Amino acid sequence: RTYHVWLPTSPASAQAPVAIILHGRGGTGQMGGQIGGEWPELKRTHIVVGPDGPDRQWNVKGEYDGPAPPAPDDATYVGKTLIDHLATYSNVDATTFKLVGFSNGAALSNRINIENEDPRITHILTDSSQLNTYQYRGGAFYVGGASNQYVTTKSSLTSRKVLAVVGGRDLTVPAEGGASDDIENGEGGLMTFVQWEESALAIATAYGYTGAKAALSPDNPNFAKASYLSGQVVALNLKKVGHVAGPFEAAKAVDLVAFLAPPPSAPSPSPSPPPSPSLSPS
């Protein structure tokens, strides 16, 4: 598979963390090149990698329903194969990888957050796709499995920093939950989503939170924010924005520089083979 690379403009050291940008349906990994203008801090400090989804989409549920060929295992490709490969380069900080997903790419990021236990994945930002009801329902998380059946439950998740951004005027992935208006998305032509606050609460609870749903603070005509575990899990509703807000809109309401900071308990480096030459831009 192909992926695109942009090196940091002002690296702090010989090694830099990697941000993997997951495009939405119909997009390509070249979306990573658009991030710099909207999120300069990410471009300045991170190696940005934009993988190309097969058929310009990611396999979550519904994208490949129908006859053979079988659906690609994108959760394993992004969450293991690609990360293991990138970790071999000498200019990569192999202790931390950050997933930034948009729409269909955000849905894949949620799937990876549920199914992947690799502590090197330390941050997940989802833009315009909170949890859907295949991934979370009845108080339990579900693993998609090889055939996307979502019947195996999972009670706990690997602790990460999560920022979930939704648009209050999004009809494709409605912030208040319910069915999408995208007739090509999901089983039977529809995918159903968890209400945005409930989605954040579910993730925080899986990380050890034991309280009630957080009060929205602030909550004004432009946006509402819910925060858990001292800011480890943050959900943001941009009330006047539609589908795919983008980092520029999110930065009006949350501190994206703080989001990029290491989590409270940074993982120890995983054993890896000797590094190959530096990762180069595409």
Side-chain angles (χ1 to χ4, degrees):
R1 295 195 189 187
T2 55
Y3 61 88
H4 311 270
V5 178
W6 296 265
L7 297 182
T9 56
S10 301
S13 63
Q15 293 184 322
V18 172
I20 299 176
I21 310 300
L22 299 175
H23 61 76
R25 182 179 294 178
T28 72
Q30 291 286 0
M31 185 178 189
Q34 303 171 16
I35 296 300
E38 294 197 23
W39 198 352
E41 180 66 14
L42 185 76
K43 182 178 179 181
R44 188 179 71 81
T45 58
H46 288 64
I47 297 171
V48 175
V49 173
D52 289 326
D55 303 310
R56 292 178 174 255
Q57 61 185 350
W58 303 106
N59 175 31
V60 179
K61 175 66 178 178
E63 297 83 5
Y64 291 90
D65 285 356
D73 186 353
D74 292 327
T76 297
Y77 166 68
V78 173
K80 177 171 173 53
T81 306
L82 180 60
I83 285 176
D84 284 347
H85 171 69
L86 296 173
T88 66
Y89 288 97
S90 62
N91 57 337
V92 168
D93 178 356
T95 68
T96 177
F97 292 84
K98 302 169 186 182
L99 304 185
V100 181
F102 298 89
S103 190
N104 179 223
L108 179 64
S109 299
N110 283 326
R111 179 169 183 169
I112 292 171
N113 192 27
I114 295 168
E115 300 180 15
N116 187 303
E117 298 180 356
D118 190 340
R120 294 176 299 176
I121 303 174
T122 57
H123 298 63
I124 292 183
L125 189 156
T126 59
D127 186 335
S128 298
S129 188
Q130 68 270 28
L131 295 169
N132 62 60
T133 55
Y134 292 110
Q135 297 167 332
Y136 180 80
R137 59 188 183 274
F141 290 92
Y142 286 80
V143 174
S147 55
N148 293 348
Q149 293 302 302
Y150 290 94
V151 294
T152 302
T153 60
K154 190 173 183 184
S155 59
S156 63
L157 307 183
T158 297
S159 183
R160 298 171 172 122
K161 289 184 75 172
V162 172
L163 173 59
V165 180
V166 300
R169 296 180 179 175
D170 189 347
L171 299 179
T172 302
V173 182
E176 293 306 317
S180 170
D181 72 344
D182 183 350
I183 61 173
E184 297 180 355
N185 189 4
E187 185 176 353
L190 293 174
M191 183 175 282
T192 304
F193 294 89
V194 180
Q195 197 267 353
W196 72 282
E197 294 173 83
E198 295 294 338
S199 177
L201 175 60
I203 294 171
T205 300
Y207 290 170
Y209 176 75
T210 57
K213 183 168 64 175
L216 297 178
S217 178
D219 185 9
N220 59 47
N222 294 313
F223 63 86
K225 184 172 72 172
S227 180
Y228 297 91
L229 300 172
S230 300
Q232 180 185 351
V233 177
V234 174
L236 176 67
N237 184 343
L238 299 171
K239 296 181 180 181
K240 297 181 179 181
V241 175
H243 193 57
V244 183
F248 179 78
E249 292 293 337
K252 296 177 182 178
V254 296
D255 186 345
L256 292 180
V257 175
F259 173 73
L260 293 173
S265 299
S268 300
S270 299
S272 60
S276 66
S278 297
L279 190 62
S280 301
S282 53

